[in-house]
Amino acid sequence: PLRRKVPTTMNLSSFFSDQARKPSGWFGSIVMPIVFDQGNAFLNRLVHTLMEVHPDDRVLEIGCGTGKLAKMMAKTIENGIIEGIDFSSPMVKIARRKNNRGITRGIVNIVEDNFDETTSINIPFTKVCCVNTVYFWKNPQNTINKVFDILEPGGKFIVAFEDIGQLRQRKISTDVFRLYRANDVERLLKKGGFTNVHIE
């Protein structure tokens, strides 16, 4: 008789890790939005506070996910704009739906694209942020260099993430996640030209 293959722990770990990187299918559309909104809640609030968004700021969020942080930041915008970019179709659909009012007002724009490859975002920006995406950058130094290039002089870049100690407690695949200590990211930022780099 045929027997159903039971997924191993490693298979589940890889599956969830892949979904965390780029949500897709029914799981990415239904389960991952809940995981992101709950799991990123603390960092989203912290980043929102640290960004200190002003009415005329031009802000980019790399890997905007469900658009929850973009919506929070858009509350302050009057003459500026919040742009979110994500390469997951389910996330972009949710983010656009969640930010429908801001999009209608012309103060929010959600782009479906890969930040490292895109030419479709409006530059320059006064501020850039990302929450729990640094682990998935194929070439982190190139990504940081690109952020530096699209920021106005004196601009702010906030990289929010869980460090290696936190992530090692979770069932994730290190084939998908690149684990960082805080000072690893600090070195990358300084090498990319950023000054006044500090850990919050």
Side-chain angles (χ1 to χ4, degrees):
L2 294 175
R3 294 184 179 180
R4 294 182 62 185
K5 185 177 180 181
V6 179
T8 63
T9 301
M10 181 56 70
N11 287 339
L12 291 173
S13 172
S14 297
F15 173 78
F16 186 83
S17 298
D18 283 334
Q19 285 289 327
R21 174 182 172 272
K22 187 178 183 180
S24 61
W26 71 266
F27 193 90
S29 298
I30 298 172
V31 179
M32 292 310 296
I34 299 171
V35 173
F36 286 156
D37 282 348
Q38 293 181 355
N40 292 342
F42 171 78
L43 285 180
N44 279 341
R45 289 193 299 269
L46 178 61
V47 170
H48 181 227
T49 299
L50 296 176
M51 287 291 278
E52 300 177 312
V53 177
H54 298 144
D56 59 349
D57 269 330
R58 297 181 56 82
V59 180
L60 174 67
E61 182 185 2
I62 302 169
C64 63
T66 65
K68 197 165 188 176
L69 176 57
K71 185 175 182 179
M72 292 165 64
M73 295 189 292
K75 292 178 181 179
T76 316
I77 294 295
E78 294 177 7
N79 303 316
I81 192 168
I82 305 294
E83 293 216 28
I85 185 169
D86 203 299
F87 65 178
S88 165
S89 294
M91 292 298 102
V92 168
K93 288 177 183 176
I94 294 168
R96 285 175 176 164
R97 188 163 60 244
K98 192 169 290 186
N99 285 275
N100 181 60
R101 183 174 297 181
I103 292 171
T104 301
R105 288 180 54 203
I107 61 169
V108 176
N109 183 35
I110 306 294
V111 177
E112 182 178 344
D113 210 341
N114 185 322
F115 172 74
D116 288 329
E117 301 168 1
T118 188
T119 57
S120 60
I121 55 175
N122 299 312
I123 56 176
F125 293 95
T126 56
K127 294 170 182 175
V128 177
C129 65
C130 61
V131 175
N132 282 335
T133 62
V134 65
Y135 331 108
F136 311 121
W137 297 348
K138 287 185 178 180
N139 189 321
Q141 194 63 67
N142 285 353
T143 301
I144 287 171
N145 293 347
K146 183 170 184 177
V147 172
F148 186 84
D149 289 341
I150 66 175
L151 266 176
E152 289 184 354
K156 178 187 289 187
F157 180 30
I158 295 180
V159 184
F161 64 101
E162 295 188 13
D163 70 15
I164 191 170
Q166 293 169 294
L167 288 180
R168 277 181 172 164
Q169 299 175 33
R170 306 183 188 280
K171 293 180 179 179
I172 58 168
S173 169
T174 52
D175 290 333
V176 180
F177 278 73
R178 187 194 301 253
L179 306 185
Y180 293 94
R181 294 178 177 83
N183 57 1
D184 294 331
V185 176
E186 185 178 14
R187 281 194 296 270
L188 287 168
L189 289 166
K190 288 180 177 178
K191 188 175 179 181
F194 286 94
T195 56
N196 299 321
V197 179
H198 69 277
I199 300 167
E200 184 73 25

